[in-house]
Amino acid sequence: MKFKRSQQVEEIHINLTPMIDCLLFILVFLLLTTTFSQPSRLNLTLPDAQGVPPKQYDLKIEVMVDSTGHYAVNGQALSSQEVADLSTAIKQAAQDRRDLMFVIAADSKASHQDVIRVMDVAGQLGFVNVNISTKVPSRGY
């Protein structure tokens, strides 16, 4: 028996539908599981200084920081802005007493770095009673 061979070749079809379905499924899965976050931002609500009646201390160390970054320890202006000079002046004023009240009075336009420098020196010298001087805001009634 002789069978006739067909001379026609079937055309090859590439069915892309299953591949597109898989890709869309992967894309949806990634979108649902990925968290899109902006860089972290701190939302701060800063407290107001309502003013507590100041306590009078017989002995205290007061370091003043002006708007240009110059320091004064107990009213004595320092000749430079160096940390070593500030540390030496505070040591002389403290006379080896680390339990004294340590008050930082900074100008409102003083840089944050200058105030932190004073706090850092106070911490290195061992002061435990560090306060920052504020004033009560005037009310416009």
Side-chain angles (χ1 to χ4, degrees), residues 50-84:
Q50 297 300 323
V52 176
K55 294 180 181 178
Q56 296 298 327
Y57 292 95
D58 295 333
L59 296 173
K60 68 178 179 180
I61 297 174
E62 185 174 22
V63 178
M64 290 174 272
V65 183
D66 68 1
S67 60
T68 59
H70 289 89
Y71 302 109
V73 178
N74 286 346
Q76 297 287 343
L78 300 181
S79 59
S80 71
Q81 298 175 347
E82 297 294 322
V83 174

Side-chain angles (χ1 to χ4, degrees), residues 16-82:
L16 296 178
T17 305
M19 184 179 72
I20 292 173
D21 286 346
C22 289
L23 288 176
L24 283 175
F25 178 74
I26 291 172
L27 181 67
V28 168
F29 179 75
L30 287 175
L31 286 175
L32 291 176
T33 58
T34 304
T35 58
F36 296 101
S37 64
Q38 296 178 353
S40 63
R41 295 180 185 157
L42 295 176
N43 295 324
L44 298 178
T45 304
L46 298 177
D48 293 330
Q50 297 300 323
V52 176
K55 294 180 181 178
Q56 296 298 327
Y57 292 95
D58 295 333
L59 296 173
K60 68 178 179 180
I61 297 174
E62 185 174 22
V63 178
M64 290 174 272
V65 183
D66 68 1
S67 60
T68 59
H70 289 89
Y71 302 109
V73 178
N74 286 346
Q76 297 287 343
L78 300 181
S79 59
S80 71
Q81 298 175 347
E82 297 294 322

Side-chain angles (χ1 to χ4, degrees), residues 93-113:
Q95 300 171 354
D96 293 330
R97 290 190 57 199
R98 302 301 185 245
D99 61 335
L100 296 175
M101 174 64 65
F102 192 93
V103 179
I104 301 171
D107 187 89
S108 63
K109 296 187 193 276
S111 75
H112 187 69
Q113 177 63 45

